[in-house]
Amino acid sequence: MESRTPQQKPTLVCRPKRTGPLTALVLGGGGSRGAVGVGLYRAIVELGIPIDLVVSSSIGAVNGALIAAGMAPAKLEECWKALRRCDVVGSHWQFLRLFTGSSSLYSNESLRRLLRCHLPVRSFSELRIPLVIVGTDLETGRAMALSEGDLIEAVLASTALPGLFPPILWKGRNLVDGGLSDNVPIDLAVGRGAKRVIGMLCGCAKGFVGPMNIVSVVGQSFSLAINARYRCDMGVYGSRAELHIMEPCFESALNLLDFDRAWTLIEPAYQYALRTLRKQLEESRETSLERA
């Protein structure tokens, strides 16, 4: 991502006046494939759908923090197009950390610098839209909903995939990647009053893609582990809120950390979300009229 001094203000999105149900944007994990969230956000803004709440996990926490801070879709897309793998993980030589007894393959310092550069605020209380970030308690495996305090530390906790990035100490608990416990946090969105939940999975359930290495294996294992929780929540909360969770299958061999090419998913995600959301919302309106 391009460098920006803290004094520069980001391009802000104008929030449309809410006239419908309280709407939550849910952004889940998927590593570099989190770029689909940028396309989804662009479609939501273009359709004039107000975002009243953002609930995010893993890489979705990065997008979620920037969106909740007021960053416009075009600016967020610009950031992703400039993003490179080294901006997230740092030097290729970081694997040497393992020989020093480190708890992770990579340090989180590069991502911390990136967040400090692009986030115009440092605390949840300064955000323009309420935000909830999911972390996972490393000891109990329980999902932790973070909604106050240090924003950057919360994002780092939610993106701390075990083995790749170090845990973050949060109020006496070691937290790791939120996607491990609640990758598509529909439950938290509905629990906080959302009557309409919009989201897009970063990938679909399909076979192994690309060469097999430590990063691709971790990524595939991660996807398999979280799918069951998501399916369960769709069944449980479908009767309590209007769920618009899209599951596109884009042909892409991007692995978990392939941030150099992640931006190629933005346009197809935008087109898919625009088409699908427009149709789903129209169907919802027709259903509401029939019930009236």
Side-chain angles (χ1 to χ4, degrees):
M1 292 186 181
E2 63 182 3
S3 177
R4 179 176 61 80
T5 61
Q7 289 73 30
Q8 290 178 289
K9 294 185 180 297
T11 305
L12 301 179
V13 64
C14 294
R15 296 181 62 195
K17 184 178 179 180
R18 180 165 66 85
T19 56
L22 191 146
T23 301
L25 170 61
V26 169
L27 299 165
S32 62
R33 299 179 70 89
V36 303
V38 184
L40 171 62
Y41 177 43
R42 178 179 159 197
I44 288 173
V45 172
E46 186 169 318
L47 290 170
I49 303 170
I51 299 172
D52 303 298
L53 171 68
V54 179
V55 186
S56 57
S57 188
S58 197
I59 190 65
V62 177
N63 285 333
L66 292 168
I67 291 170
M71 184 174 282
K75 179 61 178 178
L76 185 57
E77 182 171 347
E78 179 184 317
C79 290
W80 271 86
K81 285 183 175 179
L83 187 63
R84 297 296 176 265
R85 176 186 169 119
C86 61
D87 296 325
V88 178
V89 304
S91 167
H92 291 294
W93 295 99
Q94 287 213 43
F95 71 89
L96 295 174
R97 288 163 47 85
L98 297 178
F99 298 102
T100 67
S102 173
S103 64
S104 63
L105 183 61
Y106 303 111
S107 162
N108 59 20
E109 285 308 307
S110 292
L111 181 55
R112 190 191 303 274
R113 285 194 296 270
L114 194 69
L115 293 170
R116 284 175 176 167
C117 177
H118 289 278
L119 272 173
V121 301
R122 294 292 179 265
S123 171
F124 280 88
S125 62
E126 300 174 85
L127 294 168
R128 292 163 58 92
I129 303 172
L131 171 69
V132 180
I133 290 176
V134 182
T136 301
D137 188 315
L138 185 58
E139 182 178 345
T140 66
R142 187 165 64 93
M144 304 284 288
L146 315 179
S147 57
E148 59 182 21
D150 192 308
L151 182 60
I152 290 178
E153 290 303 297
V155 174
L156 291 175
S158 191
T159 54
L161 189 60
L164 295 185
F165 296 102
I168 293 293
L169 188 64
W170 183 277
K171 297 182 179 179
R173 311 297 298 181
N174 281 304
L175 301 188
V176 293
D177 200 299
L180 296 172
S181 57
D182 201 354
N183 191 55
V184 189
I186 298 168
D187 57 322
L188 292 179
V190 175
R192 300 208 173 210
K195 295 301 180 183
R196 179 168 61 188
V197 180
I198 300 175
M200 177 181 283
L201 300 192
C202 292
C204 60
K206 59 181 181 179
F208 203 91
V209 178
M212 188 175 293
N213 53 50
I214 185 172
V215 173
S216 60
V217 169
V218 168
Q220 177 69 358
S221 301
F222 184 77
S223 297
L224 292 173
I226 63 179
N227 193 51
R229 168 68 189 264
Y230 160 69
R231 296 295 172 194
C232 179
D233 281 356
M234 285 292 287
V236 170
Y237 296 100
S239 61
R240 295 175 54 183
E242 189 180 308
L243 302 183
H244 301 279
I245 309 297
M246 290 157 275
E247 303 182 43
C249 272
F250 302 127
E251 289 301 322
S252 174
L254 292 181
N255 66 39
L256 197 67
L257 298 178
D258 196 357
F259 289 99
D260 295 66
R261 299 184 298 134
W263 64 271
T264 59
L265 292 175
I266 296 175
E267 184 63 25
Y270 159 72
Q271 295 292 345
Y272 185 96
L274 190 66
R275 181 175 64 253
T276 305
L277 266 180
R278 184 178 281 140
K279 180 181 178 182
Q280 289 182 354
L281 293 176
E282 182 58 36
E283 290 173 349
S284 294
R285 280 192 289 268
E286 291 175 357
T287 300
S288 297
L289 289 174
E290 289 173 1
R291 291 175 179 173

